[in-house]
Amino acid sequence: MPGAGTFREDFGASVVVALVALPLCVGVAVASGVPAELGIVTGVVGGLVTGWFRGSSLQVSGPAAGLTVLVYEAVQAYGPAALGVLVLAAGLLQLGMGVLRLGRWFRAISVAVVHGMLAGIGLVLISGQLYALGGVEAPGQTLAKLGGVHGLAAQADWAAVALGAGTIAVMTLWRRVPARLRLVPGALVGVAAATAAAVLLRLPVDKVRVTGVLEAVSPPGWGDFGVLASVGAAGTVIALALIASAETLFSAAAVDRMHDGPRTDYDRELVAQGMGNTVCGLLGALPMTAVIVRSSANVEAGARTRASRIMHGGWLLLFAVAFPQVLETVPLAALAGVLLHAGWKLLPARAVAALWRTHRGEAVVLLATATAIVATNLFEGVLIGLGLAIAKAAWETSHVHIEEVWEDGELSVRVVGNASFLRLPKLLDALEALPHGKPVRLDLSGLRHLDHACLTALEGWEHRRVPAPGREGVI
């Protein structure tokens, strides 16, 4: 039984994590365009199902802001009924990747692409939640949302704006209060303060709509599985599985640096996430991923074993069943404030500055990935970022240079490095610049790689070269 000897520490940590998770579960669900209770259902599954697995002992799973954009796009494109099918398929795909021991390969994904993905998600999240903050209906496309921000002031409900801004202010300032008070999460304090203000002042602002957990759960029917025949839906499934897996495993690496306990087994953790998302899909709930905010809160609160994350799922279930009416008093603007704060934290300003100073190419990939996500969508943007990262790696590994040495009146030209088509123009320019009418010996023994395009070009250069009488270029 996990946590048998550390019950006190794990119990306390579970309460803290549940308090951190509650406003995030509700906020992510509302921003995703689904009932608020489905976010709590996913949080419960993240604790009571995923929490039992041994992949990562202290990492906590649930609905994440990083998947909000993709889920919202899927709900708008295929309808709420199809969400369970998409999440179920993504969970099965994750299970398959974990069984095939592909978890460790996610560590090979370019960090610049991951930071770019998070930055793009942050920008999309901010652009959408600015409208939710002001109680204004948002345009469909991210670029349209960004273009319409300047006109928000004329349409905004300023009472809602004040509640959302107050939530953000409380979350920001809460980090400066004494450590013993910070055991209560800033997000919960901010939402509670905004809710109290709305109730006491009787502000006419939009609030969370609650239907009840059992009523919100909607398992997919056989007819809903037809959506998987769509190429777009299949792409959404792949995107959900890959992005959730990458975010989970990068979070695991970060959490491992925060404690001295057992290290993460990446393949087992991928199986755990796949099982959790499979259950979420069967319940028609939101997809899950490991969340660094909850995981870090779990570690900082003194959790020792996976019992803390299991119990946190129990607390979420108890709240959803016993106190659902409390959610109806929460202003949507307060949740928008929580998500705006989360979106801002996803923007990697320090990482961009550090990369620009040390690895400018990586910074370009990061910025290009974020821009592509904003201009297109999450899936296409990540594909563009991965393509750029691969192209950059291919360019950087295809270094080739020429060494010229005169020996006994003969010019010896040694080509060193990797001769690929990417460096062919440079290689041919250097060879064409060699003095004509002189004997030349071309030495390719220093090449680690010679592709067909370069071999053909070198043979052509040899045939065009006019060697000295009795001497020929050597390939």
Side-chain angles (χ1 to χ4, degrees):
M1 176 68 181
T6 57
F7 179 79
R8 180 178 178 180
E9 295 89 343
D10 290 329
F11 182 86
S14 72
V15 175
V16 172
V17 176
L19 293 177
V20 171
L22 183 61
L24 291 174
C25 288
V26 176
V28 168
V30 172
S32 300
V34 301
E37 296 90 339
L38 289 184
I40 298 179
V41 171
T42 298
V44 171
V45 173
L48 297 184
V49 177
T50 306
W52 280 97
F53 287 80
R54 295 178 179 272
S56 176
S57 59
L58 300 183
Q59 185 163 251
V60 183
S61 300
L67 293 177
T68 301
V69 176
L70 189 57
V71 173
Y72 180 83
E73 292 174 352
V75 170
Q76 296 302 308
Y78 308 109
L83 179 60
V85 174
L86 299 176
V87 175
L88 172 61
L92 292 174
L93 182 56
Q94 285 183 298
L95 270 173
M97 291 189 295
V99 170
L100 294 174
R101 303 184 65 82
L102 299 179
R104 67 196 67 184
W105 287 98
F106 280 87
R107 289 179 288 180
I109 296 177
S110 167
V111 176
V113 174
V114 175
H115 280 307
M117 178 189 74
L118 295 177
I121 291 170
L123 290 171
V124 174
L125 197 58
I126 289 171
S127 67
Q129 293 307 306
L130 283 173
Y131 289 83
L133 184 73
V136 179
E137 185 175 352
Q141 300 297 321
T142 302
L143 291 178
K145 292 174 185 174
L146 293 173
V149 166
H150 67 278
L152 275 177
Q155 309 173 57
D157 179 347
W158 286 99
V161 171
L163 291 175
T167 303
I168 296 172
V170 170
M171 293 177 65
T172 303
L173 295 174
W174 193 249
R175 291 176 296 179
R176 302 182 180 181
V177 303
R180 63 180 181 277
L181 295 179
R182 288 203 304 272
L183 290 176
V184 181
L188 185 66
V189 175
V191 171
T195 301
V199 171
L200 294 175
L201 299 177
R202 298 182 180 180
L203 298 178
V205 295
D206 291 333
K207 297 182 174 66
V208 175
R209 294 182 178 88
V210 177
T211 58
V213 173
L214 296 180
E215 292 80 1
V217 170
S218 178
W222 287 113
D224 297 326
F225 284 85
V227 71
L228 295 177
S230 164
V231 175
T236 298
V237 169
I238 294 172
L240 279 172
L242 294 182
I243 293 172
S245 301
E247 187 170 344
T248 291
L249 299 182
F250 274 98
S251 172
V255 173
D256 280 350
R257 291 194 293 269
M258 298 173 64
H259 67 90
D260 298 324
R263 304 295 92 180
T264 297
D265 183 317
Y266 286 89
D267 297 316
R268 284 185 176 181
E269 183 63 14
L270 200 52
V271 169
Q273 294 296 319
M275 184 62 71
N277 274 320
T278 299
V279 174
C280 286
L282 291 173
L283 297 176
L286 289 171
M288 73 167 61
T289 180
V291 186
I292 190 63
V293 174
R294 294 170 202 163
S295 302
S296 60
N298 191 39
V299 175
E300 292 169 2
R304 302 287 296 279
T305 71
R306 64 186 189 278
S308 63
R309 59 185 190 176
I310 297 171
M311 286 189 286
H312 117 274
W315 291 120
L316 289 176
L317 179 61
L318 177 63
F319 182 89
V321 172
F323 308 105
Q325 64 276 12
V326 174
L327 296 177
E328 293 185 327
T329 64
V330 177
L332 290 178
L335 298 179
V338 171
L339 291 174
L340 278 170
H341 187 266
W344 179 259
K345 291 176 69 175
L346 289 175
L347 302 182
R350 292 182 180 177
V352 173
L355 284 175
W356 191 258
R357 289 192 299 267
T358 57
H359 300 89
R360 192 156 295 183
E362 291 287 293
V364 170
V365 171
L366 188 158
L367 294 172
T369 303
T371 302
I373 289 172
V374 172
T376 57
N377 57 55
L378 186 58
F379 184 51
E380 293 179 10
V382 171
L383 288 181
I384 290 171
L386 288 172
L388 287 174
I390 292 171
K392 171 182 170 292
W395 177 261
E396 290 180 345
T397 56
S398 63
H399 287 300
V400 62
H401 67 276
I402 294 177
E403 300 172 353
E404 301 179 19
V405 180
W406 285 95
E407 296 178 348
D408 301 325
E410 179 185 65
L411 178 60
S412 176
V413 177
R414 187 167 187 262
V415 185
V416 181
N418 297 290
S420 71
F421 69 94
L422 294 172
R423 298 290 181 170
L424 187 53
K426 173 185 176 181
L427 180 59
L428 289 178
D429 287 345
L431 292 176
E432 295 294 348
L434 295 175
H436 290 272
K438 301 288 186 181
V440 174
R441 179 181 181 85
L442 187 60
D443 179 8
L444 304 183
S445 63
L447 285 176
R448 293 186 294 273
H449 172 73
L450 176 64
D451 70 9
H452 183 264
C454 282
L455 177 60
T456 302
L458 289 173
E459 289 175 344
W461 173 83
E462 180 191 19
H463 288 121
R464 292 193 304 272
R465 182 82 183 181
V466 181
R471 305 299 295 269
E472 294 182 357
V474 179
I475 295 293

